[in-house]
Amino acid sequence: QVQLVESGGGLVQAGGSLRLSCAASGSVWSINGMGWYRQAPGKQRELVAALTSGGSTNYADSVKGRFTISRDDVKNTVYLQMNSLEPEDTGVYYCRVIDSTDIYWGQGTQVTVSS
């Protein structure tokens, strides 16, 4: 089992920055990949950024060049640095972790970007 605790959301003006954190505990040695998803009001949850255990990254086209996913293996934490935020980035951001058998989700953190 893996437990996830997210932090770092908030209200920011367009053009601003936020950094989200997702701290993992439990069976962290079994983690194969980590990622961030978001869900805007009335829309489906979508992938924002993903990071494999080998270090490969994948980003949604809408955030390329603005967002960066990274991890700290000592702290068992994955980060999402979000720069040049736009009102369209508003939503609940969820951390997701996968191992060989299960998918784990964080509780979500709200990001609101005002114009």
Side-chain angles (χ1 to χ4, degrees), residues 22-76:
C22 175
S25 61
S27 304
V28 296
W29 59 85
S30 65
I31 294 173
N32 292 331
M34 307 180 83
W36 290 94
Y37 286 69
R38 69 185 178 193
Q39 188 164 18
K43 295 187 177 181
Q44 290 188 333
R45 194 173 297 188
E46 62 175 357
L47 172 69
V48 176
L51 176 64
T52 70
S53 58
S56 299
T57 58
N58 184 35
Y59 294 95
D61 288 343
S62 60
V63 307
K64 284 180 181 177
R66 300 189 297 121
F67 291 11
T68 303
I69 188 170
S70 63
R71 69 177 184 228
D72 183 329
D73 291 335
V74 175
K75 296 182 179 179
N76 295 316

Side-chain angles (χ1 to χ4, degrees), residues 2-112:
V2 176
Q3 295 78 44
L4 303 172
V5 178
E6 302 163 6
S7 60
L11 173 65
V12 64
Q13 289 188 333
S17 298
L18 285 173
R19 189 177 79 157
L20 306 182
S21 300
C22 175
S25 61
S27 304
V28 296
W29 59 85
S30 65
I31 294 173
N32 292 331
M34 307 180 83
W36 290 94
Y37 286 69
R38 69 185 178 193
Q39 188 164 18
K43 295 187 177 181
Q44 290 188 333
R45 194 173 297 188
E46 62 175 357
L47 172 69
V48 176
L51 176 64
T52 70
S53 58
S56 299
T57 58
N58 184 35
Y59 294 95
D61 288 343
S62 60
V63 307
K64 284 180 181 177
R66 300 189 297 121
F67 291 11
T68 303
I69 188 170
S70 63
R71 69 177 184 228
D72 183 329
D73 291 335
V74 175
K75 296 182 179 179
N76 295 316
T77 299
V78 62
Y79 302 99
L80 185 67
Q81 178 66 43
M82 306 186 293
N83 299 328
S84 302
L85 282 161
E86 303 168 353
E88 293 74 22
D89 296 317
T90 293
V92 179
Y93 283 68
Y94 298 90
C95 175
R96 190 189 86 154
V97 162
I98 58 173
D99 62 18
S100 59
T101 58
D102 292 297
I103 299 172
Y104 305 92
W105 292 92
Q107 80 280 7
T109 185
Q110 177 71 43
V111 171
T112 303

